[in-house]
Amino acid sequence: FGYDLAFRAVPGIAILVAAIVVLGAAIAFGITARDKPLAAAHLDAAPLAALPDATALWLEREALALPAPAATLADTIAGDLAAMGPQLARLQPNEPAADAVKRLLAVELPNLIERHRSVPEPLRGKARQAGQSADDHLVSGLAIIREEVARLSERLASGDVDALATQDRFLELKYQGDAMLGSEPGA
């Protein structure tokens, strides 16, 4: 009787094991296929609106190998890039602002990090005659890029801020102006 019950349970166990294997494979495939960062050489192929996200993913991966102060700046830059995507989606690819963003994120930032990586690791922290090490130059360059990302983002948003101010003024004149006129004596 015991063997008969075990023999009948085998198909159920086999199905359970197969389901677990399929689930594991699906999870493993999902993890490897999800949001693969582009290689630095391929960032310039990313569509303009997707470039900030692609660069942020690449930068987060690269930050793991950077010295602590540079890694912190890289993480900050990656966070700052999140706000840029929607702004860039409204830009035409041939506009000067689009060229500036593409050059900064797809060329100059990757070049800075790859140039640092080309310095042998034991020499990266060693100060040179000018008193700065390769690590110092990297931190300085990342700080400059962070400032430029903030400037570009502000410049891209300035049109929206101006349009919002115009809309606010219009509403103020239309709705509050009439109320102000109606409350004046002798009007």
Side-chain angles (χ1 to χ4, degrees), residues 119 123-137:
V119 175
L123 301 177
R124 291 178 187 165
K126 199 175 209 179
R128 295 187 48 189
Q129 293 169 345
Q132 286 193 308
S133 66
D135 289 348
D136 295 335
H137 287 296

mmCIF file of all heavy atoms in Angstrom, residues 119 123-137:
data_model
loop_
_atom_site.group_PDB
_atom_site.id
_atom_site.type_symbol
_atom_site.label_atom_id
_atom_site.label_comp_id
_atom_site.label_asym_id
_atom_site.label_seq_id
_atom_site.Cartn_x
_atom_site.Cartn_y
_atom_site.Cartn_z
ATOM 1 N N VAL A 119 44.611 54.806 -15.822
ATOM 2 C CA VAL A 119 45.761 55.030 -14.932
ATOM 3 C C VAL A 119 45.903 53.783 -14.066
ATOM 4 O O VAL A 119 44.919 53.339 -13.465
ATOM 5 C CB VAL A 119 45.540 56.284 -14.046
ATOM 6 C CG1 VAL A 119 46.663 56.436 -13.040
ATOM 7 C CG2 VAL A 119 45.403 57.522 -14.913
ATOM 8 N N LEU A 123 48.848 54.017 -8.956
ATOM 9 C CA LEU A 123 49.223 55.411 -9.205
ATOM 10 C C LEU A 123 48.058 56.386 -9.078
ATOM 11 O O LEU A 123 48.272 57.594 -9.055
ATOM 12 C CB LEU A 123 49.842 55.541 -10.603
ATOM 13 C CG LEU A 123 51.096 54.704 -10.866
ATOM 14 C CD1 LEU A 123 51.552 54.876 -12.299
ATOM 15 C CD2 LEU A 123 52.204 55.088 -9.896
ATOM 16 N N ARG A 124 46.853 55.887 -8.981
ATOM 17 C CA ARG A 124 45.675 56.760 -8.986
ATOM 18 C C ARG A 124 45.625 57.705 -7.781
ATOM 19 O O ARG A 124 45.165 58.821 -7.907
ATOM 20 C CB ARG A 124 44.395 55.931 -9.030
ATOM 21 C CG ARG A 124 44.198 55.223 -10.346
ATOM 22 C CD ARG A 124 42.957 54.386 -10.347
ATOM 23 N NE ARG A 124 42.884 53.592 -11.568
ATOM 24 C CZ ARG A 124 42.091 52.575 -11.735
ATOM 25 N NH1 ARG A 124 41.264 52.206 -10.759
ATOM 26 N NH2 ARG A 124 42.098 51.901 -12.865
ATOM 27 N N GLY A 125 46.055 57.260 -6.644
ATOM 28 C CA GLY A 125 45.998 58.096 -5.444
ATOM 29 C C GLY A 125 47.272 58.874 -5.195
ATOM 30 O O GLY A 125 47.344 59.665 -4.254
ATOM 31 N N LYS A 126 48.273 58.676 -6.028
ATOM 32 C CA LYS A 126 49.581 59.305 -5.841
ATOM 33 C C LYS A 126 49.589 60.722 -6.419
ATOM 34 O O LYS A 126 49.283 60.926 -7.595
ATOM 35 C CB LYS A 126 50.628 58.451 -6.551
ATOM 36 C CG LYS A 126 52.024 58.684 -6.107
ATOM 37 C CD LYS A 126 52.926 57.691 -6.811
ATOM 38 C CE LYS A 126 54.105 57.414 -5.923
ATOM 39 N NZ LYS A 126 55.008 56.433 -6.527
ATOM 40 N N ALA A 127 49.931 61.698 -5.568
ATOM 41 C CA ALA A 127 49.980 63.093 -6.021
ATOM 42 C C ALA A 127 51.147 63.288 -6.975
ATOM 43 O O ALA A 127 52.231 62.743 -6.776
ATOM 44 C CB ALA A 127 50.107 64.030 -4.835
ATOM 45 N N ARG A 128 50.917 64.096 -7.984
ATOM 46 C CA ARG A 128 51.972 64.415 -8.960
ATOM 47 C C ARG A 128 52.600 65.747 -8.598
ATOM 48 O O ARG A 128 52.305 66.331 -7.569
ATOM 49 C CB ARG A 128 51.353 64.437 -10.351
ATOM 50 C CG ARG A 128 50.851 63.049 -10.723
ATOM 51 C CD ARG A 128 50.390 62.948 -12.121
ATOM 52 N NE ARG A 128 51.381 63.535 -13.018
ATOM 53 C CZ ARG A 128 51.193 63.754 -14.293
ATOM 54 N NH1 ARG A 128 50.050 63.440 -14.827
ATOM 55 N NH2 ARG A 128 52.102 64.293 -15.054
ATOM 56 N N GLN A 129 53.410 66.267 -9.473
ATOM 57 C CA GLN A 129 54.133 67.518 -9.212
ATOM 58 C C GLN A 129 53.186 68.672 -8.923
ATOM 59 O O GLN A 129 53.470 69.532 -8.108
ATOM 60 C CB GLN A 129 55.025 67.858 -10.403
ATOM 61 C CG GLN A 129 56.145 66.873 -10.590
ATOM 62 C CD GLN A 129 56.849 67.069 -11.924
ATOM 63 O OE1 GLN A 129 56.349 67.749 -12.809
ATOM 64 N NE2 GLN A 129 58.025 66.470 -12.062
ATOM 65 N N ALA A 130 52.043 68.708 -9.562
ATOM 66 C CA ALA A 130 51.076 69.792 -9.347
ATOM 67 C C ALA A 130 50.311 69.593 -8.037
ATOM 68 O O ALA A 130 49.513 70.436 -7.674
ATOM 69 C CB ALA A 130 50.109 69.871 -10.517
ATOM 70 N N GLY A 131 50.530 68.477 -7.361
ATOM 71 C CA GLY A 131 49.891 68.229 -6.077
ATOM 72 C C GLY A 131 48.585 67.479 -6.160
ATOM 73 O O GLY A 131 47.966 67.197 -5.140
ATOM 74 N N GLN A 132 48.122 67.160 -7.367
ATOM 75 C CA GLN A 132 46.863 66.437 -7.506
ATOM 76 C C GLN A 132 47.114 65.039 -8.045
ATOM 77 O O GLN A 132 47.965 64.834 -8.911
ATOM 78 C CB GLN A 132 45.907 67.171 -8.436
ATOM 79 C CG GLN A 132 45.281 68.402 -7.816
ATOM 80 C CD GLN A 132 44.127 68.896 -8.666
ATOM 81 O OE1 GLN A 132 44.276 69.093 -9.860
ATOM 82 N NE2 GLN A 132 42.978 69.077 -8.034
ATOM 83 N N SER A 133 46.339 64.109 -7.543
ATOM 84 C CA SER A 133 46.416 62.730 -8.017
ATOM 85 C C SER A 133 45.363 62.512 -9.107
ATOM 86 O O SER A 133 44.501 63.369 -9.347
ATOM 87 C CB SER A 133 46.156 61.772 -6.852
ATOM 88 O OG SER A 133 44.823 61.914 -6.407
ATOM 89 N N ALA A 134 45.418 61.349 -9.731
ATOM 90 C CA ALA A 134 44.396 60.996 -10.723
ATOM 91 C C ALA A 134 43.019 60.959 -10.059
ATOM 92 O O ALA A 134 42.024 61.394 -10.643
ATOM 93 C CB ALA A 134 44.728 59.650 -11.356
ATOM 94 N N ASP A 135 42.967 60.459 -8.818
ATOM 95 C CA ASP A 135 41.699 60.449 -8.081
ATOM 96 C C ASP A 135 41.181 61.870 -7.860
ATOM 97 O O ASP A 135 39.974 62.125 -7.986
ATOM 98 C CB ASP A 135 41.858 59.743 -6.731
ATOM 99 C CG ASP A 135 42.035 58.234 -6.865
ATOM 100 O OD1 ASP A 135 41.818 57.688 -7.968
ATOM 101 O OD2 ASP A 135 42.395 57.600 -5.844
ATOM 102 N N ASP A 136 42.092 62.792 -7.533
ATOM 103 C CA ASP A 136 41.689 64.197 -7.337
ATOM 104 C C ASP A 136 41.132 64.792 -8.625
ATOM 105 O O ASP A 136 40.132 65.515 -8.602
ATOM 106 C CB ASP A 136 42.871 65.045 -6.861
ATOM 107 C CG ASP A 136 43.375 64.653 -5.486
ATOM 108 O OD1 ASP A 136 42.591 64.095 -4.698
ATOM 109 O OD2 ASP A 136 44.569 64.914 -5.210
ATOM 110 N N HIS A 137 41.794 64.494 -9.737
ATOM 111 C CA HIS A 137 41.325 64.996 -11.034
ATOM 112 C C HIS A 137 39.946 64.419 -11.371
ATOM 113 O O HIS A 137 39.091 65.128 -11.906
ATOM 114 C CB HIS A 137 42.317 64.670 -12.144
ATOM 115 C CG HIS A 137 43.564 65.498 -12.109
ATOM 116 N ND1 HIS A 137 43.561 66.857 -12.291
ATOM 117 C CD2 HIS A 137 44.857 65.148 -11.902
ATOM 118 C CE1 HIS A 137 44.796 67.321 -12.205
ATOM 119 N NE2 HIS A 137 45.609 66.303 -11.961
#
